[in-house]
Amino acid sequence: MLLIDCPVCGQRSEDEFRCAGQAHLVRPGPPDAVTDEAWSAYLYQRTNLKGVSAERWLHEFGCRRWFNILRDTLTHQILHVYPVTQARRPEETGGGE
Amino acid sequence: MTAARPWRRYSGLSLLRAGFERQRGWPPAFIDATPQSSYDVVIVGGGGHGLATAYYLARHHGVRRICVLEKGWIGGGNTGRNTTVIRSNYFFPESAALYDLSLRLYEGLSAELNYNIMFSQRGVWMLGHSRHDEEILRRSANAMLLNGVDAEFYNDAETHRRIRGLHPNPSFPIRCGLLQPRGGVARHDAVAWAYARAASRLGVDIIQNCEVLGFEISDGRVRSVRTSRGDIRAPVVGLAAAGHSSNVAGLAGLSLPLTSYALQAFVSEPVKPVLDTVLITSATGVYLSQSDKGELVIGGGLDLFPSYAQRGSLPNMERSAAGVLELFPQFSRLRFLRQWAGICDVSHDSSPILSATEVEGLYVNCGWGTGGFKAIPAGGWLFSHLLATGRSEARARAFTLERFLTGAMIDEAGAAAIAH
């Protein structure tokens, strides 16, 4: 069970949250210049990492704020919580426990 | 490739005969092989799909030198972690053809493989609890009938009469039930062992404790597989690694349209026979059957965040228990005996991928998500055709990676209105 440190509400149980998948996906553009391959990759291809992965989460039944977390998909350890506005994934050693 | 391997037919007579030698003369069910330096086909993943693929390759396509590489032990992944339900109640014709092929192969599998997989066609019910459920189930029933799949639709009274012990007045009242009489359950381990035994007899090398570490690719073509037990040359490599497909394909530089989630299952302590069919209810997201040992086998929805931890999370366990008690309050005093999770590779449209890739000679069988067990014979059948000929069999043509480019999805997540 995950205990997620919401940047607004503090530590809450996982069933208040919703995971929206891989963070830092960049929508390709402009639309008429995007190839089928690039569009398909943006929509469907995921790194699906076994290990430390950057994800978008929503505190759905709480403050309803979006944020990113760095989480190990094998151990479920949450390494870092950071704002969605941060363009790049932080260093794994940089944050949290 | 190898000399005929020791094999003895399983039957009442052979059991009796072996009794005179105190059941000591049995050869091993399959040979735990050591890898050779090259094969015609290497299959990565010794679960049901990988073993079935190897068996059909040897049986129907005359491929002689095949090996199956398994990181752990055969059938130790999702093949041994599912709730053993077999059904083909899908919506789209493409899916119905695929899963009904599987069901029909399952029907003859014990005899074909000379191994009792304990397939029990006790029927699979989907329950409807609201007007909207009823409409969608009627639509499913019609689609199934049009696709040539058996389906029977029952009203509330008849559903209650046929499923004994249902709560007469649950808070989500039961309005109707859709039954697929040919659906049922099988012994999951036996499916892996049966295919392994039959494949091994045909000369397939089943290699356990052998992890794939990488691929040698030159001129866009796969040349060999680097493993923890040495390099293996092969012109054709098939990946059937279920939840770990993204990782294995990643070693070849491929990116797949998959996300891996944990799906939990539970069994209760064993009790006397109380439930003689399989129930699926989308209102509570729970499915339920009783094993031959007497345990209630319970499955729920996915833990909806990517995970490779084969254990699952507490909220889903609570939801599943609550869903069961909603239908059968009398089970409230039963305790969970065991809980586990398998890692499911879910594609965007919840339909499988049986496809060639950008790397010539490298093929993938993945994306079965939460429904891989029921599809093992069909997955093996169709994937072996792809590996042997390089072309998709007619029933697999809709399931290539190309659909993520063209947009021709087979969106069973929405259409079949069931949790996979």
Side-chain angles (χ1 to χ4, degrees):
Chain A
M1 176 137 174
L2 304 182
L3 198 58
I4 299 171
D5 200 4
C6 170
V8 180
C9 309
Q11 291 201 331
R12 313 289 293 185
S13 152
E14 72 172 63
D15 41 355
E16 295 184 10
F17 295 85
R18 188 155 71 86
C19 179
Q22 192 177 325
H24 309 300
L25 290 171
V26 179
R27 182 179 170 130
D32 43 2
V34 179
T35 61
D36 285 353
E37 285 76 12
W39 187 240
S40 171
Y42 165 68
L43 287 181
Y44 307 123
Q45 281 179 18
R46 297 293 176 261
T47 54
N48 200 18
L49 284 173
K50 182 178 186 174
V52 178
S53 173
E55 298 166 340
R56 294 185 307 147
W57 283 74
L58 168 67
H59 194 183
E60 190 166 24
F61 302 109
C63 59
R64 300 192 59 80
R65 294 284 284 273
W66 288 91
F67 56 94
N68 287 351
I69 69 176
L70 214 53
R71 188 178 64 91
D72 190 314
T73 56
L74 183 60
T75 63
H76 289 183
Q77 189 187 8
I78 296 170
L79 300 164
H80 198 49
V81 179
Y82 60 99
V84 275
T85 47
Q86 192 171 317
R88 283 221 308 254
R89 142 184 189 148
E91 290 301 313
E92 279 165 32
T93 49
E97 30 151 23
Chain B
M1 154 191 56
T2 44
R5 289 175 165 170
W7 190 82
R8 197 191 287 184
R9 194 179 158 73
Y10 292 162
S11 72
L13 194 64
S14 68
L15 189 66
L16 185 69
R17 210 175 274 150
F20 292 111
E21 26 182 278
R22 299 186 169 193
Q23 307 290 355
R24 279 184 188 147
W26 293 102
F30 65 92
I31 306 293
D32 193 16
T34 45
Q36 303 191 11
S37 60
S38 79
Y39 288 93
D40 294 338
V41 177
V42 169
I43 295 162
V44 180
H49 281 270
L51 294 166
T53 304
Y55 168 72
Y56 291 120
L57 267 176
R59 179 94 174 69
H60 294 314
H61 300 283
V63 181
R64 298 257 56 91
R65 302 167 67 246
I66 306 166
C67 78
V68 178
L69 304 179
E70 167 55 47
K71 183 181 171 186
W73 61 98
I74 60 157
N78 291 353
T79 307
R81 290 169 182 272
N82 55 75
T83 50
T84 79
V85 177
I86 295 164
R87 56 186 174 80
S88 59
N89 50 0
Y90 282 76
F91 182 77
F92 289 109
E94 295 88 346
S95 319
L98 182 70
Y99 290 101
D100 210 50
L101 166 68
S102 205
L103 180 49
R104 276 183 282 115
L105 288 170
Y106 262 125
E107 284 172 335
L109 206 59
S110 288
E112 178 175 353
L113 302 180
N114 179 232
Y115 201 110
N116 187 4
I117 62 158
M118 297 163 75
F119 183 32
S120 160
Q121 291 179 289
R122 57 186 66 181
V124 173
W125 284 86
M126 291 202 285
L127 300 181
H129 303 268
S130 64
R131 212 189 77 195
H132 311 288
D133 279 2
E134 183 176 343
E135 282 171 3
I136 214 81
L137 284 185
R138 280 191 187 282
R139 179 170 170 267
S140 287
N142 289 334
M144 286 164 68
L145 292 173
L146 281 172
N147 291 332
V149 176
D150 56 322
E152 294 173 8
F153 195 88
Y154 294 107
N155 65 15
D156 53 343
E158 192 59 20
T159 303
H160 274 282
R161 197 183 69 75
R162 284 169 177 260
I163 305 171
R164 310 313 297 248
L166 271 180
H167 190 335
N169 190 24
S171 46
F172 300 112
I174 292 161
R175 279 178 68 106
C176 60
L178 170 59
L179 170 67
Q180 182 183 16
R182 283 160 63 237
V185 290
R187 172 131 196 247
H188 51 1
D189 297 322
V191 174
W193 296 336
Y195 274 119
R197 175 168 170 264
S200 182
R201 188 191 181 199
L202 294 173
V204 172
D205 278 355
I206 296 166
I207 299 158
Q208 303 182 94
N209 300 309
C210 181
E211 183 179 359
V212 170
L213 304 171
F215 298 93
E216 191 202 322
I217 294 162
S218 58
D219 304 328
R221 191 164 222 311
V222 67
R223 307 287 172 180
S224 73
V225 184
R226 224 173 64 241
T227 78
S228 57
R229 297 174 69 176
D231 288 6
I232 301 171
R233 284 193 313 279
V236 176
V237 177
L239 308 183
H244 286 73
S245 292
S246 295
N247 311 112
V248 182
L251 296 174
L254 299 172
S255 175
L256 295 173
L258 298 173
T259 304
S260 294
Y261 297 99
L263 179 67
Q264 301 187 65
F266 321 93
V267 293
S268 74
E269 52 194 332
V271 288
K272 287 185 176 176
V274 289
L275 183 66
D276 63 358
T277 187
V278 183
L279 295 185
I280 301 172
T281 160
S282 50
T284 56
V286 171
Y287 36 99
L288 176 69
S289 63
Q290 189 175 20
S291 74
D292 292 339
K293 283 188 285 183
E295 305 150 326
L296 293 175
V297 184
I298 300 161
L302 292 164
D303 291 355
L304 283 173
F305 51 86
S307 173
Y308 287 91
Q310 290 172 314
R311 56 173 186 265
S313 213
L314 198 59
N316 242 334
M317 187 194 249
E318 282 185 320
R319 267 196 292 277
S320 302
V324 170
L325 297 186
E326 183 58 42
L327 298 174
F328 297 98
Q330 64 270 39
F331 295 162
S332 66
R333 278 164 292 172
L334 284 178
R335 284 163 292 191
F336 279 150
L337 192 67
R338 287 179 288 129
Q339 173 269 2
W340 67 91
I343 303 306
C344 300
D345 45 330
V346 179
S347 66
H348 186 80
D349 57 357
S350 291
S351 283
I353 299 166
L354 289 159
S355 183
T357 65
E358 301 152 30
V359 180
E360 210 180 324
L362 188 67
Y363 299 86
V364 289
N365 169 357
C366 59
W368 296 96
T370 62
F373 174 72
K374 73 170 88 67
I376 283 172
W381 184 283
L382 299 172
F383 198 44
S384 67
H385 187 280
L386 181 61
L387 294 182
T389 65
R391 289 187 309 275
S392 292
E393 204 248 37
R395 285 167 290 201
R397 256 171 229 153
F399 296 98
T400 63
L401 279 167
E402 208 189 332
R403 73 179 189 269
F404 297 97
L405 267 185
T406 60
M409 301 285 173
I410 304 154
D411 192 4
E412 284 293 349
I418 42 176
H420 280 254

